[in-house]
Amino acid sequence: MNFHKADEFTRRELMIKMAKSAFGISLAPMFGNSVASAADFVPNRPRAAKSVIFLMMAGGMSHLDTWDVKPGNATVMGKTKAIDTTAAGIQISENLPKSAKQLQHMVLMNGMSTTQGAHEQGQYLLERSYTMRGTIVHPAMGSWVMRLAGKRNNNIPGFVSISGDPNLVNGGFMGAKFAGVPIGDPNAGLQDSIKPGSISEDDFTKRLKLADALNKQFHTVVSSSAIRDHEGLYSDALRIMHSEDLKAFDLTKEPTEIKEFYGPSRFAQGCLLARRLVEHGVRFIQVTHGGWDTHYDNFTTVPARCKDLDDGFSALLADLHRRGMLEETLVVVATEFGRTPEIVSEHEDGRDHYPKAFSCVLAGGGIKGGRTYGKTDASGSKVVENLTTPQDFNATIAHSLGLPVEQVVISPSGRPFTVADKGKAITSLFA
Amino acid sequence: MIRATFTLLLRTACLGTAVLCLTGTVSAQLAKKTTDPDNDPVFIKKAASEIDRRLANDFKKKNVTPLPAVDDSRWMRRLYLDAAGRIPTYEEAITFLNDTAPDKREKLVDTLLKSEGYTGSMYNYYLDLLRATSRLGSDGTRSGVPYLRWIRESAASNKPYDKLTYELLTTEGDGWEEGKGAVGYFERDRGMPLDNMANTTRIFLGTHIECAQCHDHPYDKWKQLDFYEMSAFTHGLETGHRDELSKHANEKYNGKNAEQDRLRRDLYRWLYDNIYDFGVTGGGDGIIKLPMDFKGKGGKPEEAVRAKSIYPGAGNTRREEINDARMKFAKWVINPQNPRFTLLIANRMWKKVMGIGLFEPVDKFVEVSKENPAGTVISNPEVMTYLEQLMKEVNYDLRTFQKVLFNSRAYALGTNPGSVDPKMPYAFNGRAVRRMKAEQVWDSMAALVVPNIDYRKGGSLSPAAAVYGQVIGQSAYAIYEELKKGKDPKDTANRIREMNAWVDKTAAQLKSGGGKKSDDSMMMMESSMTAAGDSKASAMQDPAKWAGYSKAFLRSYELPSPTPPDHFLRKFGQSSREVIEGGSTDSDVTQVLSLINGHVEKNIIGDSKALIYKAINDAATPEDKVRAAFITILSRQPTPAEMDLMLPEAKKGRDGIKNILYALLNSNEFIFIL
């Protein structure tokens, strides 16, 4: 294992050296990168997770129709039925049959509760641990992870967001270098990472050489740190382009049977891409799955959304487990709030926003699965046991990675912040 | 050496303007207030000299040497970027460089400050400052266009900044009414009145009191009570309209005519979100209840407190004055005696022109207090004092104010060769190098492709109406006009009758296939435009002179605010307009990937019709082609060494030319402003 990694590293270095000589431009500092590398980071607990795959169910996933079923209470359940799972005594919705077979890896967080009942504010609190203010933008969870733990692989981005709104994953006051790198379509890979066919290899090299010669002259006029940083990014860009790890972004490298195992939807393919990225050392990957805002026609829309979630999530857990990666990869299913137990018949049986109680899921990353944590009452309308705030939830994610949950980071405006605000990690979830 | 440069400059200026030299000799005497300073060259010259005089004193005091003034090329490029938001075209550059008139710089300042590019750049500036967006609401369901339109009109008419501020803070009424778009200032923050006041305080007073919303400020003197006393000024105003129209928008449609009902409901919803639900009523109560969990000094939870300004001057003391608190507040904010208002905008404009503020950050000025013993340092208090005076003298006319700065010798000083930390007081003995803002990169590139780009219209200020991906053949503004038809907008019953009629008519039209498909040209603003070349993105009613040019290329001020998250502008740091002046000029790797593999090659160099090729195609010899390329992209002639470097490529023909253009566009000198 170690042997293989060392070998890969050497090859990577060789590629960089080749790129360097081919392009004739300075790639120094060789690994000079604005984000700290993994070598500097020591997790504060043994067997900490190394990466996070954060599956974001945007729009407000109905807890009653997914993870927190109330069999026997037809008033709140409507058309949704419960099924058994691999964990004794735990039932989930029939909308998630494949996930039911992976429940041994999961903790169902059925006591989630938030103060925010609007999408933007709810997603903001969930992803950033702070309530939205018009005066500052708090960093996204992935930015915090990058800031506190650094990159695992300096050749490629450490925080990637698939199919989501880049606003959800911006670095806030930490700035662009801690922002998630957006991937629109998982099948399209990293934007502009491949040399366009209209430029020949020779011309590409020639052009960069010419630019480099112009820059050398420019440095005699002015040479600021911002200019040097900018120029350094050309090395980073070439490193990405010529990195062995670029193939991490390329789903065509995946065997057909694996692609099919994950399922056809964009979300499921995003899950597959996330697994590839974890294999290549990306620290935090967010895959967004929208369309959960089921004010209208809940019992048609939710099953359709669940199909994609069920395909992607169950395949991801099975695949990570089979590859021995699940222990070091925390997989999260999260949403900004739940939906009302009341079914609004005037809206073709819809459900409205419900921040008071909802469900998320944690799996892998040292989590002891086959359990639930937190509980709602018989109608799913009130948390009656182990109420978990978004801040607690994020503290738990941070704990999984062995991050210092209480470490203060001062914003440029001089205000102190921590990764999970005042959230408390639920350490009892871990084996 | 420095003295010689200054003398030379003066002498050059004297060739054609002897009178100016007589009266414009460096003098301690302050420029006199005139009725029309904008058109008074004597006033401009005097004011500019006064700034230079005060800076020169400071150089002497600090024992720093001003850097030698820049040549015409570099000065011109600076000015185009700072005043018009983009680099000059080849034609513009050549015209200026070949001009032998001694007052050509003054003339160029005048021309650019009256250009469409200037209006658009000021519009962008206000969008950043005010966080103004095309779409409003947590899901972007509501239209913010009337606000943007009002901002654009204010920029175009060069509305004085105090008047603009007053209108923002006091406008009441229906936002789609002529001249009422300023209600967007409160609509922007609907449901968040406390955040709105925190932003107001920061924008116009340079004071951060947002911490005091929840507790007494830990690092400043502000108390939680101060925050609520300020918030009382705007408390009680109502945004939007709530009446029976909203019921139609939630109509059920499971009856016999389900499909038609659904269409009608969605039309109502569109109408409600995009036209009807945008307005402000109420003049501000001047009184507010402290929150239940109030824990600051000087007040009790749920106690009612009266409005009081954090700096002395405004308050609501008498009960009968209720409902005029906003007006009182606004009058106090813009009063020349207000200790912050003039200071803030004078420093902001200084930063806009000179690159760095006399104090930074420009929205935070902290007085010395026991909580903050250091306070804000002004790098040059004499200049700051004069700028405040000047701002008052020009009656808050920001164009004239900038004209003075552009005409100063300080603006023409050389580029500081090293890093300048914007957080440290700066002597302004030269310009600090800066990366172009996202808008400047995009707009400069757009100008390399499309001729007369400044005037090409998008549709961001007259968006199409669209339901089910079908557009209704009218812009939202046209629909508003149709619904109103000269009737009193306050006559709600009549409005609802009109809207019912419109919905029925439009529903019938859409049902019979009268709507156009969404990829029609009118849809541009509703579609997500990812990059130039996206076929869905199209300019509205593009006149024939732009036929064949990619419709994705529009000036940034013709695009939605902000552009979609994956747009080139956002990649290069355009503000998401969530926070005040939230743009960034930080570089990152996705930008570089776009420069080396994406936008530059695919949409500029790859477009054989692009303007970038024109001067090069017109040039006869390879040497002239290299010169044309340098002027087109870097606004200057190549050095002999650069000519040697590029000549072999120019001799290769088309592919070699492409190599030159690509290298120039990827050079530091393109993206960094000297």
Side-chain angles (χ1 to χ4, degrees):
Chain A
M1 176 80 181
N2 279 339
F3 221 76
H4 172 71
K5 274 209 167 141
D7 181 46
E8 191 177 79
F9 196 70
T10 317
R11 260 190 313 159
R12 190 181 294 146
E13 280 216 294
L14 188 68
M15 287 298 294
I16 292 160
K17 283 197 177 112
M18 280 167 59
K20 183 181 173 181
S21 60
F23 294 120
I25 71 170
S26 163
L27 285 170
M30 199 64 160
F31 286 97
N33 205 298
S34 39
V35 178
S37 64
D40 311 331
F41 172 66
V42 183
N44 63 13
R45 66 185 202 93
R47 290 181 294 126
K50 291 178 179 156
S51 291
V52 176
I53 298 175
F54 192 98
L55 308 177
M56 176 64 190
M57 304 299 116
M61 173 174 62
S62 170
H63 52 302
L64 288 166
D65 303 307
T66 55
W67 311 103
D68 189 12
V69 289
K70 303 292 173 188
N73 188 344
T75 323
V76 299
M77 290 304 290
K79 294 175 190 152
T80 300
K81 303 271 180 298
I83 54 169
D84 288 336
T85 68
T86 51
I90 298 180
Q91 288 195 311
I92 61 172
S93 153
E94 63 178 344
N95 294 328
L96 299 162
K98 294 180 183 171
S99 302
K101 296 201 169 67
Q102 299 293 330
L103 212 106
Q104 70 276 15
H105 299 305
M106 307 177 199
V107 177
L108 306 182
M109 304 291 290
N110 285 341
M112 295 296 301
S113 183
T114 178
T115 53
Q116 305 297 311
H119 296 292
E120 196 181 7
Q121 283 80 354
Q123 290 171 4
Y124 190 98
L125 179 63
L126 177 80
E127 299 247 4
R128 297 169 195 265
S129 302
Y130 289 86
T131 47
M132 199 168 145
R133 299 257 71 100
T135 46
I136 190 164
V137 178
H138 305 90
M141 195 59 196
S143 311
W144 275 104
V145 171
M146 287 258 282
R147 174 75 178 248
L148 298 178
K151 285 185 179 183
R152 287 174 62 196
N153 178 351
N154 283 323
N155 290 325
I156 51 174
F159 176 16
V160 174
S161 164
I162 302 167
S163 301
D165 177 352
N167 274 335
L168 279 181
V169 295
N170 70 35
F173 67 74
M174 288 180 185
K177 62 178 182 257
F178 290 101
V181 169
I183 307 279
D185 178 356
N187 288 301
L190 181 62
Q191 221 186 344
D192 298 331
S193 60
I194 295 164
K195 179 182 72 59
S198 57
I199 315 174
S200 72
E201 276 294 345
D202 283 355
D203 277 340
F204 193 70
T205 309
K206 168 66 93 182
R207 290 173 177 197
L208 290 171
K209 272 185 175 167
L210 290 172
D212 189 49
L214 292 170
N215 288 346
K216 286 217 167 71
Q217 198 173 326
F218 189 74
H219 284 300
T220 64
V221 181
V222 55
S223 184
S224 74
S225 54
I227 294 170
R228 285 190 300 272
D229 284 354
H230 179 78
E231 222 170 287
L233 289 167
Y234 276 75
S235 313
D236 286 358
L238 293 172
R239 194 149 56 198
I240 289 174
M241 286 172 68
H242 294 83
S243 167
E244 285 275 281
D245 297 305
L246 187 60
K247 66 175 188 284
F249 293 92
D250 186 359
L251 281 186
T252 63
K253 296 274 192 293
E254 214 49 50
T256 314
E257 58 270 25
I258 293 286
K259 293 197 75 170
E260 285 172 358
F261 178 65
Y262 273 79
S265 69
R266 181 183 268 217
F267 171 75
Q269 294 297 301
C271 289
L272 174 56
L273 180 57
R275 191 220 77 213
R276 288 184 66 83
L277 294 174
V278 169
E279 281 178 308
H280 288 266
V282 175
R283 186 67 86 175
F284 195 102
I285 302 110
Q286 177 157 332
V287 191
T288 303
H289 186 34
W292 292 91
D293 198 14
T294 52
H295 290 285
Y296 294 85
D297 210 358
N298 180 74
F299 297 93
T300 309
T301 314
V302 169
R305 298 284 89 195
C306 278
K307 168 81 172 68
D308 298 347
L309 167 63
D310 195 40
D311 282 353
F313 180 43
S314 66
L316 182 61
L317 293 185
D319 198 12
L320 287 171
H321 181 62
R322 190 167 55 201
R323 288 164 198 263
M325 292 163 65
L326 191 56
E327 269 297 294
E328 57 180 52
T329 309
L330 180 71
V331 183
V332 179
V333 178
T335 190
E336 65 262 37
F337 41 65
R339 308 205 76 87
T340 49
E342 297 81 46
I343 298 163
V344 190
S345 57
E346 310 84 271
H347 293 169
E348 294 180 289
D349 295 339
R351 292 192 198 265
D352 292 331
H353 300 179
Y354 201 70
K356 237 169 100 182
F358 65 106
S359 295
C360 294
V361 182
L362 293 172
I367 291 279
K368 188 164 166 286
R371 298 189 289 164
T372 59
Y373 181 85
K375 198 174 147 189
T376 54
D377 63 7
S379 62
S381 50
K382 190 169 176 256
V383 177
V384 292
E385 191 183 294
N386 289 333
L387 185 141
T388 308
T389 64
Q391 291 91 333
D392 297 334
F393 190 69
N394 288 337
T396 307
I397 294 172
H399 176 76
S400 168
L401 290 161
L403 300 181
V405 175
E406 269 146 35
Q407 185 173 319
V408 170
V409 171
I410 303 285
S411 75
S413 56
R415 294 158 67 183
F417 297 97
T418 56
V419 59
D421 192 12
K422 294 177 184 68
K424 293 267 177 297
I426 306 157
T427 54
S428 64
L429 300 182
F430 295 85
Chain B
M1 161 81 185
I2 296 316
R3 187 168 304 232
T5 313
F6 278 173
T7 316
L8 190 69
L9 260 174
L10 270 175
R11 195 179 306 143
T12 316
C14 284
L15 286 174
T17 52
V19 181
L20 285 190
C21 284
L22 288 175
T23 54
T25 44
V26 177
S27 145
Q29 194 196 341
L30 300 172
K32 284 240 166 60
K33 191 164 175 167
T34 64
T35 45
D36 184 14
D38 191 17
N39 293 314
D40 182 351
V42 178
F43 173 88
I44 299 290
K45 199 87 193 170
K46 264 185 155 179
S49 302
E50 183 56 26
I51 290 165
D52 289 327
R53 190 188 66 80
R54 291 183 184 224
L55 276 173
N57 284 346
D58 193 50
F59 298 156
K60 237 180 268 165
K61 214 170 7 178
K62 291 185 173 134
N63 200 20
V64 291
T65 315
L67 292 153
V70 293
D71 62 11
D72 274 345
S73 305
R74 200 184 285 180
W75 182 87
M76 165 186 70
R77 190 176 171 90
R78 253 184 211 177
L79 185 72
Y80 265 92
L81 284 162
D82 290 334
R86 59 164 174 82
I87 60 169
T89 64
Y90 175 86
E91 292 295 332
E92 289 166 336
I94 285 295
T95 305
F96 177 77
L97 295 174
N98 289 346
D99 189 352
T100 53
D103 60 346
K104 68 175 181 175
R105 288 194 181 187
E106 290 89 321
K107 276 191 190 147
L108 188 62
V109 171
D110 287 352
T111 306
L112 292 186
L113 287 179
K114 285 186 177 137
S115 70
E116 193 72 8
Y118 170 77
T119 296
S121 301
M122 281 308 290
Y123 167 74
N124 281 342
Y125 183 83
Y126 287 132
L127 295 184
D128 268 2
L129 185 65
L130 302 171
R131 302 148 57 246
T133 52
S134 299
R135 306 301 303 174
L136 295 172
S138 56
D139 299 326
T141 45
R142 292 185 298 122
S143 171
V145 163
Y147 187 30
L148 302 195
R149 206 138 131 150
W150 178 87
I151 294 171
R152 177 70 74 92
E153 282 161 6
S154 300
S157 66
N158 190 32
K159 186 177 285 169
Y161 186 70
D162 55 347
K163 185 162 190 282
L164 177 133
T165 305
Y166 187 80
E167 289 178 17
L168 285 171
L169 296 176
T170 59
T171 300
E172 196 175 341
D174 183 348
W176 290 79
E177 270 299 293
E178 188 67 36
K180 297 281 192 187
V183 296
Y185 186 74
F186 292 100
E187 274 287 359
R188 168 70 182 82
D189 292 326
R190 179 188 289 193
M192 303 193 291
L194 299 177
D195 287 324
N196 179 272
M197 178 50 82
N199 283 321
T200 298
T201 311
R202 199 166 140 187
I203 293 169
F204 301 112
L205 306 172
T207 305
H208 291 229
I209 57 168
E210 60 271 13
C211 285
Q213 185 175 333
C214 309
H215 47 74
D216 291 350
H217 202 301
Y219 314 124
D220 209 337
K221 63 182 180 182
W222 309 115
K223 304 288 176 245
Q224 202 179 359
L225 185 63
D226 296 320
F227 185 87
Y228 283 93
E229 285 173 343
M230 282 285 277
S231 300
F233 282 112
T234 54
H235 183 70
L237 65 79
E238 295 262 356
T239 47
H241 290 283
R242 281 176 208 88
D243 56 38
E244 64 181 87
L245 187 75
S246 60
K247 282 185 229 147
H248 290 299
N250 286 312
E251 206 169 15
K252 64 178 173 179
Y253 54 90
N254 48 5
K256 221 170 24 175
N257 294 317
E259 199 192 328
Q260 193 177 337
D261 288 349
R262 188 195 288 245
L263 177 59
R264 288 184 79 237
R265 189 204 66 198
D266 287 352
L267 282 168
Y268 271 116
R269 192 176 284 173
W270 183 89
L271 208 52
Y272 190 69
D273 289 339
N274 285 278
I275 293 185
Y276 191 55
D277 191 23
F278 192 88
V280 166
T281 47
D285 291 350
I287 191 162
I288 194 170
K289 254 189 182 178
L290 296 178
M292 270 164 62
D293 59 351
F294 184 84
K295 42 188 175 279
K297 293 189 193 84
K300 291 193 292 288
E302 302 203 66
E303 182 186 344
V305 294
R306 293 196 157 271
K308 186 163 153 280
S309 53
I310 49 170
Y311 304 108
N316 229 26
T317 49
R318 285 175 300 156
R319 192 166 285 274
E320 59 268 30
E321 281 176 329
I322 213 155
N323 210 37
D324 71 347
R326 273 211 282 158
M327 191 186 72
K328 273 195 151 175
F329 177 65
K331 277 185 177 162
W332 168 75
V333 168
I334 64 163
N335 190 315
Q337 302 306 312
N338 182 305
R340 291 297 177 75
F341 181 70
T342 313
L343 176 84
L344 261 281
I345 189 59
N347 188 49
R348 278 185 196 282
M349 287 298 111
W350 174 267
K351 178 178 182 158
K352 187 171 179 293
V353 174
M354 307 300 291
I356 299 176
L358 286 161
F359 60 87
E360 291 268 357
V362 294
D363 64 359
K364 189 174 188 177
F365 189 90
V366 182
E367 274 169 11
V368 177
S369 68
K370 74 175 191 300
E371 290 84 0
N372 200 325
T376 294
V377 178
I378 298 176
S379 59
N380 188 326
E382 277 89 50
V383 170
M384 190 71 251
T385 307
Y386 179 67
L387 293 179
E388 285 185 84
Q389 181 191 328
L390 177 66
M391 188 56 84
K392 292 173 191 172
E393 280 174 354
V394 301
N395 303 313
Y396 297 88
D397 169 350
L398 302 188
R399 183 169 66 194
T400 304
F401 187 88
Q402 291 179 78
K403 189 190 272 190
V404 170
L405 301 186
F406 286 133
N407 274 288
S408 69
R409 287 196 305 259
Y411 184 70
L413 289 178
T415 311
N416 200 309
S419 306
V420 174
D421 181 354
K423 294 197 180 82
M424 299 302 287
Y426 186 53
F428 295 96
N429 59 325
R431 298 265 290 180
V433 66
R434 292 161 293 155
R435 205 210 75 187
M436 283 184 192
K437 288 183 181 143
E439 287 83 356
Q440 291 170 321
V441 185
W442 169 263
D443 286 341
S444 294
M445 287 182 172
L448 288 171
V449 177
V450 180
N452 294 310
I453 185 80
D454 298 353
Y455 297 94
R456 198 185 201 196
K457 292 280 175 226
S460 60
L461 296 180
S462 49
V467 177
Y468 297 154
Q470 283 195 302
V471 290
I472 301 153
Q474 284 170 295
S475 83
Y477 257 97
I479 291 168
Y480 176 77
E481 290 301 321
E482 184 191 324
L483 295 178
K484 195 183 60 151
K485 286 195 189 120
K487 294 182 191 96
D488 179 6
K490 283 185 187 133
D491 181 355
T492 306
N494 181 57
R495 280 191 74 173
I496 289 171
R497 262 196 312 279
E498 290 290 329
M499 288 188 201
N500 287 340
W502 181 85
V503 165
D504 287 338
K505 185 193 78 182
T506 310
Q509 186 191 331
L510 286 180
K511 256 196 126 184
S512 63
K516 298 178 194 166
K517 277 283 164 238
S518 63
D519 55 0
D520 186 273
S521 64
M522 303 250 326
M523 271 303 287
M524 177 192 154
M525 288 310 134
E526 305 290 328
S527 69
S528 166
M529 195 180 68
T530 54
D534 185 337
S535 63
K536 275 189 195 154
S538 53
M540 274 182 80
Q541 300 152 356
D542 217 11
K545 63 178 162 180
W546 288 302
Y549 290 103
S550 165
K551 287 174 177 169
F553 277 118
L554 290 162
R555 287 291 302 258
S556 52
Y557 53 75
E558 287 294 323
L559 294 171
S561 166
T563 47
D566 48 359
H567 193 278
F568 180 94
L569 274 158
R570 294 293 291 283
K571 198 180 278 184
F572 279 76
Q574 183 186 46
S575 171
S576 64
R577 313 235 148 102
E578 284 169 30
V579 295
I580 300 163
E581 296 181 292
S584 161
T585 54
D586 290 348
S587 299
D588 74 46
V589 77
T590 62
Q591 294 168 8
V592 173
L593 286 170
S594 168
L595 293 172
I596 63 178
N597 295 329
H599 190 60
V600 166
E601 170 67 16
K602 291 173 184 159
N603 303 320
I604 302 173
I605 293 174
D607 181 353
S608 59
K609 202 182 173 204
L611 196 61
I612 199 171
Y613 289 111
K614 184 168 186 302
I616 296 166
N617 290 345
D618 290 349
T621 66
E623 284 83 355
D624 283 346
K625 286 182 192 292
V626 173
R627 283 187 200 107
F630 269 75
I631 290 169
T632 302
I633 297 172
L634 299 182
S635 321
R636 67 169 173 87
Q637 297 279 356
T639 64
E642 286 164 341
M643 180 60 88
D644 289 347
L645 183 69
M646 297 298 184
L647 202 51
E649 294 300 315
K651 285 178 177 162
K652 278 193 217 160
R654 192 80 181 167
D655 286 347
I657 293 293
K658 286 182 174 178
N659 290 349
I660 294 173
L661 296 175
Y662 180 103
L664 289 170
L665 284 166
N666 272 283
S667 69
N668 290 333
E669 190 175 342
F670 175 73
I671 203 160
F672 285 93
I673 310 172
L674 289 171

